[in-house]
Amino acid sequence: MSSSVMNTIQAVDSGTTLFGAGFLVVGGFVVLVSGRYVWRTLSVARADAVSAVGTQHAGDVVKVTGTASRAEDGALVSPFSEQPSLAVRYEIAERRISPIVVPWFVTIFTNSASVPFTLDTGSQRVTVESPPRTVTTSTDVVATIGPDEPLPDHIASFERETDAVAASTWWRNPSRVVRRLWSVLGLGARRYTEERVVPGDSVTVVGRVSDDPATLSPVVVSSFSPMRSVYRMASTSVVGLSIGLVCLVLGTVLVTLS
């Protein structure tokens, strides 16, 4: 066998190994993040439902349901909709090619924020501190904007001031060779969503009892019932774990075959 053929085979093997290693890294990261979310989901399911906070030990995890209202700190302004909120989860997703070669929106940035607010359970007014680790409510798609469309000023400002959000990616600025195909598939478009808790919402809070009287340090803030909160979070966890496991399997196969 000639040296040129051997070099070609070695190059293919190296590329396959590198590609497989990439799948392993991505899959491991997704499984790790999803695993943490599964643990958080289980905390919602396991937490004791109470109508008053104060008789428990500091650090106990409890579940409280009531009507949310503003505390002294007022409300925060949601970054994409500019709506006043007590708690908000905001996310930027970019349309890309998935591992199974189907275009979908891939989350490139997500965060949660809140201000302290009160929860009227009917038996007690509980103070909910900030910030929660998870906010889950109905999803509002604030905007979907193509790579060649101008961003509203407040969203453009948000992206400029947020280091974790790249203003430009390969999906938004592809090479000229594939630009036409990218446009047909809608690749590079960004979707801006929010999940907001506003005054008057019926809210379930899972959190740790604080040293302060009638105060919770929140883990999960949800506008859904406890059962629906668990179902919604579990669905997200299962999807993430499935994607991560598929990437791990593909990566293992590619590395093994190389």
Side-chain angles (χ1 to χ4, degrees):
M1 186 177 295
S2 67
S3 60
S4 61
V5 173
M6 288 295 297
N7 289 338
T8 301
I9 293 174
Q10 290 175 356
V12 170
D13 285 344
S14 298
T16 303
T17 301
L18 184 62
F19 201 52
F23 268 110
L24 289 174
V25 171
V26 172
F29 176 76
V30 172
V31 167
L32 177 62
V33 172
S34 298
R36 291 177 62 189
Y37 205 68
V38 168
W39 182 256
R40 203 169 297 166
T41 302
L42 293 176
S43 72
V44 176
R46 294 195 311 266
D48 293 330
V50 301
S51 59
V53 176
T55 59
Q56 303 83 9
H57 297 292
D60 287 352
V61 178
V62 297
K63 182 164 46 190
V64 181
T65 300
T67 302
S69 61
R70 296 186 184 187
E72 293 180 358
D73 291 340
L76 57 84
V77 177
S78 302
F80 305 144
S81 65
E82 299 187 296
Q83 297 295 314
S85 306
L86 301 176
V88 59
R89 178 178 182 270
Y90 45 99
E91 177 182 288
I92 302 175
E94 191 170 86
R95 190 169 171 83
R96 299 177 176 181
I97 297 291
S98 73
I100 55 175
V101 201
V102 175
W104 66 3
F105 280 99
V106 176
T107 299
I108 61 172
F109 177 81
T110 184
N111 196 20
S112 298
S114 71
V115 292
F117 62 92
T118 59
L119 201 64
D120 187 350
T121 68
S123 301
Q124 185 184 48
R125 290 178 66 84
V126 178
T127 299
V128 180
E129 298 176 329
S130 63
R133 296 180 186 175
T134 299
V135 176
T136 177
T137 72
S138 299
T139 301
D140 177 21
V141 179
V142 178
T144 302
I145 302 173
D148 298 323
E149 298 175 335
L151 292 173
D153 290 342
H154 64 285
I155 294 181
S157 176
F158 175 87
E159 290 197 350
R160 283 195 304 269
E161 295 171 3
T162 305
D163 293 336
V165 181
S168 178
T169 65
W170 183 72
W171 299 97
R172 292 176 68 79
N173 294 288
S175 66
R176 187 172 300 177
V177 176
V178 297
R179 193 166 297 168
R180 177 60 180 171
L181 175 62
W182 258 226
S183 178
V184 171
L185 296 176
L187 299 178
R190 285 188 174 175
R191 184 177 65 190
Y192 302 84
T193 61
E194 291 177 348
E195 298 178 43
R196 298 183 296 272
V197 172
V198 300
D201 279 352
S202 177
V203 174
T204 296
V205 177
V206 177
R208 298 187 181 277
V209 176
S210 174
D211 291 326
D212 297 329
T215 302
L216 282 181
S217 178
V219 176
V220 176
V221 175
S222 173
S223 65
F224 300 125
S225 67
M227 287 301 298
R228 190 176 175 193
S229 298
V230 170
Y231 174 78
R232 184 179 174 90
M233 293 176 68
S235 300
T236 302
S237 303
V238 168
V239 171
L241 283 174
S242 299
I243 293 172
L245 290 174
V246 167
C247 289
L248 286 176
V249 170
L250 286 174
T252 301
V253 170
L254 291 172
V255 170
T256 302
L257 292 177
S258 61

